[in-house]
């Protein structure tokens, strides 16, 4: 009622964002009758990780050493020291993540006919897998400066919330080399060498036929 708000967050829509994800994979598998009562199944998958490409190049990374040395981006001259972007030397394209080609996921399983009568079996398997996250984790990055420049203000008046803000209201945004990096804006950093999430799954089972039409597992 008084026009005083505790927190005001303002930014631009992410209306030009296009993500491209390329996936490539291959696998080999085989089943081997190792012994008359033992069957082994094994294989391996090749699943390299190729990071999502951002059409606007809205990815960034922060390096503390560059910050202490006062090194600034050659792409956005107003960016704080330590931050760098697609187009800066050493930055991995518009994905912001190094490709990981040597990713292999092995699998192994076996089935053992314990007595050779087909009534008692022991089965076990293990699989190592890679999991790729969806594009949602990029949302905050696209809202950061200099693309969305999502900015938070504390305890301001709705009559003129930007009155005491350093440099005045940062909207509409200025794109390109002269893009503005305002105080209190959202900044997201992503490492170049991020690892793909992995998981391990295993199982062990025992089955025993009881009488003619009952199975205990």
């Amino acid at each position: 009622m008084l026009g005083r708000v505790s927190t005001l967050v303002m930014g631009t829509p992410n209306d030009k964002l296009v993500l491209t994800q390329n996936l490539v994979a291959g696998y080999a598998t085989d089943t081997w009758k190792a012994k008359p009562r033992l069957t082994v199944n094994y294989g391996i998958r090749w699943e390299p990780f190729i990071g999502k490409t951002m059409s606007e190049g809205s990815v960034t990374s922060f390096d503390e050493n560059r910050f202490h040395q006062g090194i600034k981006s050659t792409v956005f001259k107003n960016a704080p020291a330590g931050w760098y972007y697609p187009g800066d030397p050493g930055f991995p394209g518009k994905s912001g993540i190094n490709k990981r080609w040597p990713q292999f996921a092995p699998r192994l399983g076996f089935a053992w006919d314990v007595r050779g009568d087909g009534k008692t079996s022991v089965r076990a398997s293990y699989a190592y897998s890679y999991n790729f996250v969806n594009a949602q984790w990029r949302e905050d990055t696209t809202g950061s400066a200099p693309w969305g420049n999502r900015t938070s203000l504390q305890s301001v008046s709705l009559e003129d919330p930007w009155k005491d803000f350093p440099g005045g209201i940062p909207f509409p945004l200025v794109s390109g080399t002269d893009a503005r990096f305002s105080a209190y804006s959202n900044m997201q950093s992503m490492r170049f060498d991020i690892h793909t999430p992995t998981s391990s799954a295993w199982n062990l089972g025992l089955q025993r036929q009881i009488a003619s039409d009952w199975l205990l597992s």
Side-chain angles (χ1 to χ4, degrees), residues 88-111:
D88 281 325
F91 200 94
K94 290 187 176 182
S95 68
I97 300 174
N98 293 328
K99 295 180 177 65
R100 297 180 59 83
W101 294 105
Q103 292 195 158
F104 297 94
R107 285 114 161 97
L108 177 64
F110 72 85

Side-chain angles (χ1 to χ4, degrees), residues 159-175:
E159 292 181 0
D160 190 359
W162 303 95
K163 180 179 64 173
D164 300 321
F165 189 78
I169 184 171
F171 304 102
L173 292 182
V174 176
S175 60

